[in-house]
Amino acid sequence: MRRYRDFHRESIEQPDAFWRREAARVHWETPFDAVLDRSNPPFARWFTGGRTNLCFNAVDRHLASRAQQNALVYVSTETGIERRYTYADLHAEVNRMAAVMRSLGVKRGDRVLIYLPMIPEAVFAMLACARLGAIHSVVFGGFAAPSLAARIDDAKPMLLVSADAGARGGKVIDYAPLVDEAMSRAAHAPPHVLLIDRQLAPERLDAPYLVHYEPLREQFYDARIPCEWLESNEPSYILYTSGTTGKPKGVQRDVGGYAVALAASIDYIFEGRPGDTMFTASDIGWVVGHSYIIYAPLLAGMTTVMYEGTPIRPDGGIWWRLVEQHKINLMFTAPTAIRVLKKQDPALLHAADLSSLRTLFLAGEPLDEPTATWISDALGKPVVDNYWQTETGWPMLANQGGVEALPQKLGSPGVPCYGYDLVLRDEHTGEPCASGQKGVITLGYPLPPGCMQTVWGDDARFVRTYWESVPGQQVYSTFDWGMQDENGYVTILGRTDDVINVAGHRLGTREIEEAISSHAAVAEVAVVGVNDAVKGQAALAFVVLRDAAAAADPKAADKLATAIATTVDRQLGAIGRPARVHFVSMLPKTRSGKLLRRAIAALAEGREPGDLPTIEDASALQQIREAVNAAGERQGR
Ligand code: PRX
């Protein structure tokens, strides 16, 4: 472990020297004056005074040596479309998109909201923003109109880029009603919606703000738009993520630090080389998509595979056939996908030639030992679990093969990555934990390059939320519980806050509660996450009705439960839909009126909640127990 330990120590004790070296991985149009400005903690500014551009580094820089190499391979099993773009093609498409955006008034510092399915134009749009110095904010296509509107109002974009439709599991999802509703709900709706017409939706959007991409693309077919040289700390993007409140936080990232961090991570953590092919099965709406479908592989001169579809359509062998067809070297997805594949015919896995594949990376939720062992044995390849967050942008914990290959410890994502001063701390005293003791995973100041700079438009929220939650210490809280062994390996033990993780999707229970509360029949609601064999966690809702008689007979109760769940689809998006809605006449609370969420979650998982001396009315616990048991019996458990 020597090399790893020295490497990590240097990154913490001599960050200037360490990151100065790593900064050589990217092109600086103007060299930086200083590696790190730590004059205003907890804010950190990396590579101050340096000027660079993410699009230049991801695309233009490769034209000299790999113009004819594939940059982007696009496969959709939803539409049957497959496209390949060399670096030269990608460069041309990004220039066209940038010219179109510019013609619609987009300039440096403006926000562009991207609400798109997994289509190549999403990549062009993100890179075009980077080229122009505009700030992209990608909103996951599964979010409903009110969620989209809330993000519009926070980011106040100059432009919204959208499509006629998304597609999932063979079903077309018409975006027109969603975009229309979001545009009319939002107080800060942009003047234009740029529409990528896939010709999937039966009805076409037809609103005054609508601009069609295709004719403009033709008009700007030969356009060449120069890259804006941005100061390293200008924002590159905003990505909204869920927290404890109902209002998602806009995670803001810089330009230079992000470029350096990703370029280094591809080498040290993913062991990717220029010319390699990487397939990250995620969505561009999530941070894994931003970092490892788009920016990191392109920064490194690799070929990235972008996939629209599920892992089991047309059958469970599709991903492995992609590995064979496209000679994929590195694969990255979430454990949920592997648990889904585990239920498929294993012969499908062995039908493909997987010789090109070196490693499978998994992140986003806990990787359970049986799943890790199953997939590693089935593939005959190493599986690397890695732990991080939207906020950090790249892994905090991993076995960093490019630094030193350490023995794998099943059930642990590994040891702290270089750059992260990761310490487990006692939740009450803030003191470092002894090995084997459960604590909150924290990071010391400064966060390394690539991590969030602030909450968009709300520095105070950044400080309050992340840097003031550990007693007596100004450290960054991940809001994850963990435990570290004597060799430094950390095990993740769940969130300390009200965030749950359903199929690798991060959701705030408050957001789901707010959506449910908008249903007229609901007086009060508590949403908790419970263990789920495939999705990791599932959301359960416990609802107190305004009029209990509305759910008096089982048929009426079922109907109402469905109606309430559907409200979540409409307000938040189907990803937030609770797996079950239970009716109770009272929720367990403390005498001061605080919901006893951990107690509810324990009961919902069939565990006893322990002593609750502050509970107002203990019979509320019995109601939760009974509701869960009754549902279990109905399902024949
Ligand atoms: O609770 C941790 C869990 O996912 C959260 C971050 O989710 P998100 O912001 O969507 O970013 C995902 C980036 C991969 C974390 O706070 N989490 C992430 N990776 C792991 C994990 N839990 C256990 N093991 C992991 N490898």
Side-chain angles (χ1 to χ4, degrees):
M1 262 196 157
R2 239 189 78 216
R3 179 159 156 70
Y4 157 72
R5 281 195 201 287
D6 291 347
F7 193 74
H8 185 264
R9 187 177 310 116
E10 190 210 351
S11 74
I12 303 303
E13 291 175 359
Q14 293 160 44
D16 281 62
F18 185 92
W19 289 107
R20 181 182 297 281
R21 214 170 48 227
E22 298 305 328
R25 295 175 185 272
V26 310
H27 167 84
W28 297 92
E29 183 69 4
T30 311
F32 44 88
D33 307 318
V35 174
L36 171 62
D37 167 8
R38 43 164 87 218
S39 61
N40 184 26
F43 300 90
R45 290 159 46 83
W46 289 97
F47 311 114
T48 53
R51 290 186 175 271
T52 185
N53 181 289
L54 271 170
C55 182
F56 182 87
N57 278 285
V59 184
D60 301 50
R61 198 174 47 135
H62 302 305
L63 293 178
S65 54
R66 46 187 88 246
Q68 297 315 316
Q69 178 196 309
N70 283 333
L72 174 66
V73 172
Y74 174 70
V75 180
S76 170
T77 49
E78 298 290 346
T79 59
I81 289 173
E82 196 172 317
R83 294 208 181 100
R84 290 160 196 245
Y85 299 88
T86 62
Y87 273 95
D89 298 334
L90 181 61
H91 182 253
E93 292 292 354
V94 170
N95 272 283
R96 285 167 200 145
M97 181 68 85
V100 170
M101 285 184 176
R102 203 168 70 170
S103 77
L104 297 173
V106 174
K107 45 183 200 320
R108 180 175 187 157
D110 286 341
R111 276 76 60 208
V112 173
L113 232 86
I114 298 176
Y115 184 65
L116 285 176
M118 291 289 279
I119 53 176
E121 286 80 1
V123 180
F124 309 155
M126 290 166 77
L127 291 168
C129 286
R131 191 168 196 88
L132 295 169
I135 302 165
H136 61 66
S137 183
V138 183
V139 178
F140 175 59
F143 279 123
S147 302
L148 178 58
R151 287 155 175 78
I152 290 175
D153 281 340
D154 195 69
K156 303 185 182 61
M158 181 69 186
L159 179 69
L160 173 63
V161 187
S162 194
D164 59 333
R168 189 159 176 88
K171 233 179 78 191
V172 169
I173 303 130
D174 200 343
Y175 278 15
L178 300 168
V179 170
D180 276 342
E181 190 191 332
M183 286 292 283
S184 64
R185 268 174 178 263
H188 296 279
H192 301 295
V193 173
L194 182 62
L195 183 87
I196 318 287
D197 190 356
R198 313 175 70 191
Q199 311 205 320
L200 280 185
E203 276 179 67
R204 291 166 61 128
L205 268 165
D206 187 21
Y209 46 73
L210 209 70
V211 182
H212 285 266
Y213 179 61
E214 200 45 45
L216 284 172
R217 176 179 175 268
E218 287 298 318
Q219 188 183 328
F220 291 104
Y221 201 79
D222 298 316
R224 284 292 175 269
I225 306 291
C227 291
E228 278 283 333
W229 297 112
L230 303 176
E231 199 276 336
S232 176
N233 293 275
E234 284 182 59
S236 58
Y237 70 73
I238 309 167
L239 181 55
Y240 288 90
T241 192
S242 302
T244 304
T245 68
K247 187 173 179 274
K249 292 180 288 265
V251 167
Q252 177 186 319
R253 231 183 280 293
D254 70 356
V255 176
Y258 188 52
V260 172
L262 289 186
S265 75
I266 270 290
D267 187 4
Y268 294 134
I269 302 172
F270 295 87
E271 294 183 84
R273 307 282 168 250
D276 275 353
T277 298
M278 179 160 189
F279 170 28
T280 298
S282 174
D283 190 281
I284 49 144
W286 307 120
V287 71
V288 174
H290 280 60
S291 291
Y292 295 103
I293 295 176
I294 301 177
Y295 287 113
L298 295 178
L299 286 166
M302 296 163 63
T303 303
T304 185
V305 177
M306 179 184 200
Y307 175 73
E308 180 186 52
T310 71
I312 50 170
R313 269 183 95 250
D315 59 58
I318 177 65
W319 281 5
W320 314 121
R321 289 198 295 280
L322 288 180
V323 170
E324 175 178 323
Q325 276 162 23
H326 301 285
K327 303 210 168 19
I328 289 165
N329 307 110
L330 306 172
M331 229 175 125
F332 188 177
T333 189
T336 294
I338 305 302
R339 289 193 292 263
V340 167
L341 287 173
K342 211 160 128 184
K343 297 190 168 166
Q344 304 292 309
D345 180 0
L348 289 166
L349 216 157
H350 300 293
D353 173 4
L354 304 179
S355 55
S356 61
L357 186 67
R358 297 201 297 265
T359 312
L360 171 67
F361 296 89
L362 295 171
E365 48 172 332
L367 173 62
D368 53 288
E369 290 188 30
T371 301
T373 311
W374 175 77
I375 190 65
S376 180
D377 289 352
L379 291 173
K381 314 276 176 181
V383 169
V384 175
D385 184 4
N386 56 112
Y387 158 83
W388 46 296
Q389 307 181 307
T390 304
E391 288 84 343
T392 66
W394 59 283
M396 279 180 274
L397 291 172
N399 191 346
Q400 302 139 67
V403 178
E404 181 185 353
L406 300 177
Q408 197 187 12
K409 178 176 171 180
L410 281 176
S412 160
V415 293
C417 293
Y418 57 90
Y420 291 100
D421 185 13
L422 187 145
V423 177
L424 281 89
R425 292 182 182 273
D426 184 282
E427 73 171 313
H428 301 297
T429 66
E431 291 303 316
C433 293
S435 47
Q437 184 195 341
K438 176 177 168 178
V440 182
I441 302 176
T442 69
L443 304 172
Y445 177 79
L447 300 184
C451 291
M452 81 185 287
Q453 294 179 289
T454 186
V455 172
W456 171 255
D458 200 345
D459 285 350
R461 189 174 179 198
F462 172 65
V463 178
R464 194 176 60 239
T465 304
Y466 293 104
W467 295 88
E468 291 179 349
S469 77
V470 177
Q473 310 280 337
Q474 197 177 47
V475 291
Y476 170 93
S477 176
T478 61
F479 299 101
D480 280 308
W481 294 115
M483 206 155 73
Q484 193 165 27
D485 74 9
E486 57 287 354
N487 294 317
Y489 288 78
V490 178
T491 308
I492 310 296
L493 302 170
R495 297 279 304 194
T496 67
D497 59 5
D498 299 328
V499 168
I500 60 173
N501 200 320
V502 179
H505 297 162
R506 172 167 163 184
L507 295 164
T509 50
R510 291 281 163 83
E511 288 172 90
I512 306 175
E513 286 170 2
E514 280 182 21
I516 290 178
S517 299
S518 70
H519 191 284
V522 175
E524 235 188 323
V525 56
V527 170
V528 295
V530 293
N531 287 331
D532 182 275
V534 174
K535 296 182 170 180
Q537 279 189 300
L540 296 191
F542 294 89
V543 169
V544 179
L545 292 169
R546 286 184 197 282
D547 173 11
D553 70 275
K555 234 175 157 177
D558 276 354
K559 218 169 133 200
L560 190 54
T562 307
I564 289 172
T566 311
T567 307
V568 179
D569 291 6
R570 273 203 310 274
Q571 293 289 322
L572 186 65
I575 52 165
R577 187 187 177 112
R580 271 190 298 287
V581 175
H582 298 293
F583 296 112
V584 292
S585 68
M586 164 174 42
L587 293 168
K589 289 186 186 164
T590 64
R591 267 171 243 126
S592 55
K594 228 177 139 250
L595 260 182
L596 289 161
R597 285 167 191 284
R598 283 191 203 173
I600 301 174
L603 290 166
E605 287 183 343
R607 292 178 284 118
E608 278 308 306
D611 270 355
L612 297 164
T614 60
I615 193 164
E616 158 119 71
D617 184 341
S619 69
L621 297 175
Q622 191 50 27
Q623 287 210 22
I624 303 276
R625 240 180 240 121
E626 280 167 13
V628 172
N629 288 342
E633 274 158 29
R634 270 211 304 281
Q635 289 181 359
R637 257 205 282 134

